[in-house]
Amino acid sequence: FISQTVYLAKFYTDVVELPLGTLAVTMALAKSADAVVFPIIGWYSDMASTRWGRRLPFIAIGAPLCSLFYFALFAPPPSMGNTASAHWFGLTFFFHAFFYI
């Protein structure tokens, strides 16, 4: 996950031409949201009880969505400005991490 984050920074600064400061703030906000959301998801998955077990439904739903958001991270629409690119990056980065867990 760390190597991916390093490559994302290079991709968004060199290819998408997003300012590094904007990228850093966006990453920090996404990771701060993760810090709030992940314990809630963990608690919910611990309390879940299905006929497939506690974790399998989360894996079955999360794996394809994680793949989708990973692809979306590296495929931003080309005609976006800096603000829209930052929003695109923040949302796809957050949701990729959200479904990664």
Side-chain angles (χ1 to χ4, degrees):
F1 201 75
I2 292 173
S3 61
Q4 166 198 329
T5 305
V6 170
Y7 186 72
L8 274 172
K10 180 154 180 59
F11 174 76
Y12 271 88
T13 55
D14 291 351
V15 177
V16 181
E17 299 179 353
L18 194 64
L20 191 57
T22 304
L23 185 68
V25 169
T26 306
M27 278 182 155
L29 289 173
K31 286 300 176 186
S32 298
D34 289 347
V36 173
V37 172
F38 285 1
I40 296 167
I41 295 169
W43 175 83
Y44 185 69
S45 72
D46 286 343
M47 297 298 141
S49 177
T50 68
R51 64 180 179 178
W52 300 290
R54 292 188 316 183
R55 307 284 190 251
L56 188 60
F58 292 97
I59 294 170
I61 293 169
L65 291 173
C66 180
S67 300
L68 176 73
F69 281 104
Y70 186 75
F71 176 78
L73 270 171
F74 290 101
S79 62
M80 292 170 42
N82 281 348
T83 304
S85 293
H87 289 155
W88 177 272
F89 172 75
L91 289 173
T92 55
F93 187 70
F94 171 77
F95 282 112
H96 171 259
F98 180 81
F99 292 116
Y100 184 79
I101 64 163

